[in-house]
Amino acid sequence: MIYEVYAISSLTKNYIYVGFSTELEVRLNRHNKGLNKTTAPYAPFRLIYSEVVGTSREEARLREKYWKSGTGKRKLRILRDELD
């Protein structure tokens, strides 16, 4: 299985969510349909970042943790703001 780490940004609120998945498109659709308890109040979303991290769940989790850190979130905010 190939894992992807991704970041999505709410289109209506100042909220960025970071996660990882083996089926990115399916996962994004679930977020946008409000099927994820954590992100439902912030839907709809747009994808602002994704990266393929390999076949290890542990590797994906480590990259996800980086993007959820203060440094990672700052970089994601810059990416999001450049897309606007």
Side-chain angles (χ1 to χ4, degrees):
M1 271 185 227
I2 302 294
Y3 287 91
E4 284 186 78
V5 174
Y6 65 93
I8 54 176
S9 177
S10 173
L11 294 175
T12 59
K13 298 182 177 136
N14 183 22
Y15 180 76
I16 294 174
Y17 177 84
V18 176
F20 67 91
S21 177
T22 57
E23 297 180 319
L24 183 56
E25 290 300 320
V26 172
R27 188 77 173 119
L28 292 175
N29 286 334
R30 291 182 57 78
H31 284 299
N32 278 318
K33 290 179 181 176
L35 299 176
N36 180 286
K37 185 177 176 182
T38 303
T39 59
Y42 305 99
F45 293 94
R46 68 175 171 172
L47 181 68
I48 60 170
Y49 180 79
S50 69
E51 70 177 291
V52 174
V53 292
T55 59
S56 164
R57 182 178 173 84
E58 293 77 23
E59 185 181 0
R61 179 71 180 117
L62 286 173
R63 282 305 283 169
E64 177 193 42
K65 285 178 80 172
Y66 166 76
W67 287 110
K68 287 182 174 183
S69 73
T71 301
K73 279 287 177 111
R74 275 191 295 280
K75 289 180 179 180
L76 289 173
R77 285 187 196 103
I78 291 167
L79 280 172
R80 177 197 59 197
D81 294 346
E82 287 175 352
L83 293 172
D84 287 339

